[in-house]
Amino acid sequence: MSTPSLTFTVPLSWEAHSLAQHYRTQQTTVPKAKQAYLNSLAVYAGDFYLRCLGYFPDPSASDSRNSINLHFLDVADLVVPSLGKLECRPVLPEMDVLEIPSEVRDDRIAYLAIQFTQSLKQAEILGFTSKSLAQIPLSSLRSLESFPDYLSALRQSIAADQLTPFHPASMVELSQWLEGVASAGWQALDTLLPGHSLVAVRSQAGQQESPCNPPQPFSNQVQKAKLIDLGLQLGDRTIMLVLTLAPSSNQTVSALVQAYPVHDPHLPAQLQLKMLAESGEVLQEVWSRGQDNFIQLKQFSGQRGDRFRLQIVLDEICITENFVF
Amino acid sequence: MVNQDFMGDEQLRQLALNVQNAPPQSAERQRNLNYLVNNILHSGKLGHPHTGKYPQGIYQDLYNEALQKTLLKICTKIDQYNPVHPVMAWVNFVLSKTFIDVEKDVQRRGITYLPQALKNDMTILSLDDLNSPVSDLHPSTEVEKLRQFLKEDPEGRLQEEHLQNHTDITFQKIALAKYVDDLTWDSLSEQFKIPLPTLHSFFNRRLQKLMPYFHKYL
């Protein structure tokens, strides 16, 4: 017997129910009113679950949150930006199947089965499925244990599809930097932020050393920086991406990639810096925890013509820069 | 890790640390957050602030509201957890503060001492409530407006949209059959002799496209 399936429980109180009531009272018949109420609670529970995991679903963009849709369609979708629509289906206490109405069998990334208690004061997310069949036995649902991986794989495949192809216009040619030629947006630190000193350097052990500027490039090194705007909603979220290149022997060039905050002393928490192969495969990644003065990737090297991508990710913002050595 | 086990303090602490140490937004962190929430709920150590202060029914709802908000705070602020303290001490600390906030909010809305919530926005319905014929469902003016809008189609746009190769099967026809006649999608599919996926693909997409038109008149 395998380990019991991982589920997730959501207590439901006034916030959940008043919202459900709003959708219920727009309907004219008892069955439709009931469906609208349950669907609303289910979407609410799904939204709560995803937010606990660190996602930022957008219920307001969902069809299920538009009453006009509910007059025609038994829909309980939840938009997860950058991923798609997750259908949150209610399951009644005595049921042993998940029912998926025909109107929602298309255009969904997955279906969550959300079972309610008789009082409707508690919802339990039993599991998920990616199969869009009319009925799925609850025993066939996949455990929530695998749901984060499922979404992660989906995100990677979507990101890979959306990566711009490497054409010359979108690529930064690092060989040119070594020859003294500038790339748009990339400048020497002093030019980019004159007189600005970047704060403390973090040592290997994670302890904070006394404040000093980032390591000055040696004479044969080239260092350039670019300001990256992560969006205005959270206040100033400008960070600076710093790339330091050093030619080594046998025609390889090593690169050090760092990210620094600009106006705050610390980087925003959960900022990710990733390095990807041309294919989209993540080769390395590092993230900030909220107290970091900077983060950096492990030094890597390449030969002329080798391509890679850097991504800076914060919440749903994902900025990609393409490079060729 | 089986989620039905009741964890001791030390195991719960380790679980919280596992969450903190996993990369943010990684599947590993998310999985561990799920385990953490489950183990908090099943710990048997959740506090119950001010138990005697309210009648049982109201208290349960207040508590649920506070508990739900607390769980979200724990998840989103897990990096602030200090392992020096037991996890449940932190959870209960947040819970008691959140409970007070919920109390204040609810008092402001005036329901605390009423045996049954009178205002719509403080009603909690059960499945039994949903199943019984209730008199609070009456066609509001909005619903009547929709019926009229579908029938009259002021700008003729509902009639313009039709299934490919079937000029007689218009969006309007489908919308009326669904909304006014209250037919199921299965019976519509049979009636029009159009496969369900095709019907939905057409209708669902046109509905989104026509939404501004709906909003203009409703």
Side-chain angles (χ1 to χ4, degrees):
Chain A
M1 180 73 179
S2 55
T3 51
S5 192
L6 182 61
T7 64
F8 188 89
T9 304
V10 183
L12 299 172
S13 189
W14 292 298
E15 193 180 70
H17 282 268
S18 64
L19 191 56
Q21 186 73 318
H22 167 80
Y23 290 100
R24 173 180 167 268
T25 50
Q26 314 260 341
Q27 301 301 319
T28 39
T29 64
V30 168
K32 273 179 149 181
K34 175 178 172 182
Q35 196 65 57
Y37 199 85
L38 293 175
N39 286 8
S40 178
L41 288 182
V43 171
Y44 182 90
D47 173 73
F48 179 76
Y49 164 63
L50 288 178
R51 286 193 294 138
C52 282
L53 295 192
Y55 286 96
F56 295 91
D58 188 0
S60 65
S62 312
D63 292 341
S64 59
R65 290 306 187 208
N66 179 340
S67 284
I68 292 177
N69 282 320
L70 297 174
H71 290 302
F72 303 101
L73 305 165
D74 177 3
V75 65
D77 66 320
L78 177 65
V79 168
V80 187
S82 314
L83 282 178
K85 292 183 187 175
L86 179 65
E87 184 74 14
C88 306
R89 294 310 304 179
V91 175
L92 296 179
E94 266 81 59
M95 287 173 66
D96 58 1
V97 287
L98 169 66
E99 287 178 343
I100 300 181
S102 58
E103 48 262 57
V104 304
R105 277 180 224 148
D106 188 33
D107 193 27
R108 296 292 188 269
I109 59 178
Y111 301 85
L112 291 179
I114 303 178
Q115 190 161 55
F116 295 100
T117 55
Q118 194 70 20
S119 67
L120 298 181
K121 294 191 181 186
Q122 189 172 288
E124 193 182 0
I125 307 179
L126 300 175
F128 75 103
T129 181
S130 54
K131 299 187 200 157
S132 53
L133 305 170
Q135 283 195 345
I136 292 158
L138 295 183
S139 52
S140 304
L141 291 173
R142 295 172 62 176
S143 165
L144 291 184
E145 168 109 37
S146 12
F147 194 58
D149 284 304
Y150 177 82
L151 291 182
S152 173
L154 190 61
R155 191 167 48 192
Q156 294 225 345
S157 78
I158 291 172
D161 287 341
Q162 285 175 352
L163 285 175
T164 52
F166 266 98
H167 32 54
S170 71
M171 227 163 26
V172 176
E173 289 178 73
L174 297 174
S175 55
Q176 302 218 318
W177 290 13
L178 295 168
E179 285 157 32
V181 180
S183 304
W186 292 90
Q187 297 169 50
L189 253 144
D190 287 338
T191 320
L192 200 60
L193 297 169
H196 186 94
S197 69
L198 297 169
V199 287
V201 173
R202 186 177 69 177
S203 77
Q204 304 280 19
Q207 302 301 314
Q208 197 169 324
E209 296 176 349
S210 53
C212 62
N213 286 332
Q216 289 296 314
F218 293 122
S219 52
N220 65 333
Q221 289 182 344
V222 173
Q223 186 183 71
K224 288 197 193 296
K226 181 172 180 174
L227 291 177
I228 309 277
D229 179 16
L230 296 173
L232 302 169
Q233 286 152 321
L234 302 170
D236 183 32
R237 282 288 184 249
T238 312
I239 64 146
M240 180 160 64
L241 195 58
V242 180
L243 214 64
T244 311
L245 301 177
S248 40
S249 58
N250 63 304
Q251 282 147 14
T252 56
V253 174
S254 71
L256 181 66
V257 180
Q258 300 167 310
Y260 285 85
V262 173
H263 301 296
D264 295 322
H266 305 297
L267 287 170
Q270 303 190 1
L271 177 82
Q272 270 179 297
L273 180 57
K274 294 193 215 195
M275 180 198 170
L276 297 86
E278 191 178 349
S279 62
E281 185 200 341
V282 178
L283 298 173
Q284 53 163 321
E285 63 185 326
V286 71
W287 68 99
S288 70
R289 302 195 207 231
Q291 300 297 311
D292 290 320
N293 308 120
F294 76 94
I295 54 178
Q296 71 182 38
L297 294 170
K298 291 201 247 293
Q299 198 163 32
F300 57 95
S301 50
Q303 301 197 320
R304 186 140 181 170
D306 288 345
R307 299 169 177 194
F308 66 95
R309 305 177 195 263
L310 294 177
Q311 276 187 344
I312 298 99
V313 184
L314 181 68
D315 298 341
E316 287 119 35
I317 313 281
C318 177
I319 314 266
T320 307
E321 294 276 336
N322 300 327
F323 300 88
V324 61
F325 273 109
Chain B
M1 219 181 285
V2 177
N3 70 313
Q4 256 74 17
D5 281 350
F6 291 1
M7 280 191 163
D9 278 348
E10 196 38 53
Q11 288 172 291
L12 208 47
R13 188 196 315 262
Q14 191 52 56
L15 183 50
L17 287 172
N18 288 348
V19 175
Q20 287 183 332
N21 291 333
Q25 299 181 336
S26 65
E28 190 193 338
R29 176 179 270 229
Q30 290 164 352
R31 224 183 351 266
N32 282 324
L33 278 167
N34 197 157
Y35 284 122
L36 183 64
V37 167
N38 287 6
N39 280 288
I40 288 170
L41 287 174
H42 291 121
S43 64
K45 292 184 183 167
L46 274 172
H48 289 81
H50 306 298
T51 320
K53 202 169 161 188
Y54 299 98
Q56 168 63 16
I58 294 285
Y59 184 79
Q60 187 189 22
D61 297 331
L62 276 169
Y63 189 77
N64 271 356
E65 188 92 338
L67 181 59
Q68 190 208 342
K69 290 178 150 66
T70 300
L71 291 174
L72 184 61
K73 283 184 201 178
I74 299 298
C75 288
T76 52
K77 296 186 203 264
I78 189 65
D79 288 315
Q80 291 174 19
Y81 164 65
N82 182 349
V84 155
H85 307 296
V87 172
M88 291 314 294
W90 180 47
V91 171
N92 284 328
F93 172 70
V94 175
L95 178 59
S96 45
K97 285 206 306 180
T98 307
F99 191 87
I100 291 169
D101 290 340
V102 170
E103 272 185 299
K104 284 190 191 148
D105 188 47
V106 153
Q107 274 160 18
R108 194 170 44 80
R109 295 201 240 174
I111 72 117
T112 319
Y113 299 105
L114 302 172
Q116 290 228 332
L118 294 182
K119 291 186 195 167
N120 248 2
D121 69 335
M122 299 307 277
T123 311
I124 293 184
L125 297 181
S126 67
L127 272 171
D128 293 330
D129 294 325
L130 291 179
N131 286 328
S132 45
V134 202
S135 59
D136 69 336
L137 277 192
H138 46 269
S140 66
T141 45
E142 312 307 313
V143 170
E144 270 311 305
K145 273 166 83 175
L146 176 57
R147 202 188 297 246
Q148 270 210 291
F149 167 76
L150 289 176
K151 283 190 164 143
E152 285 168 10
D153 190 14
E155 290 173 33
R157 294 180 58 191
L158 303 178
Q159 293 160 65
E160 265 170 17
E161 305 282 352
H162 63 83
L163 270 168
Q164 211 170 33
N165 304 327
H166 298 272
T167 48
D168 57 321
I169 307 178
T170 61
F171 179 91
Q172 185 189 36
K173 200 168 188 175
I174 302 171
L176 284 169
K178 188 75 190 81
Y179 183 66
V180 177
D181 301 338
D182 203 19
L183 296 173
T184 64
W185 285 106
D186 276 316
S187 61
L188 285 176
S189 169
E190 259 181 55
Q191 183 185 316
F192 294 130
K193 311 248 186 303
I194 303 286
L196 265 180
T198 313
L199 196 55
H200 279 305
S201 180
F202 168 73
F203 186 84
N204 295 19
R205 289 187 195 169
R206 289 300 184 282
L207 179 56
Q208 302 320 310
K209 180 182 163 190
L210 289 166
M211 204 52 83
Y213 180 47
F214 275 78
H215 283 131
K216 186 173 172 186
Y217 288 90
L218 296 170

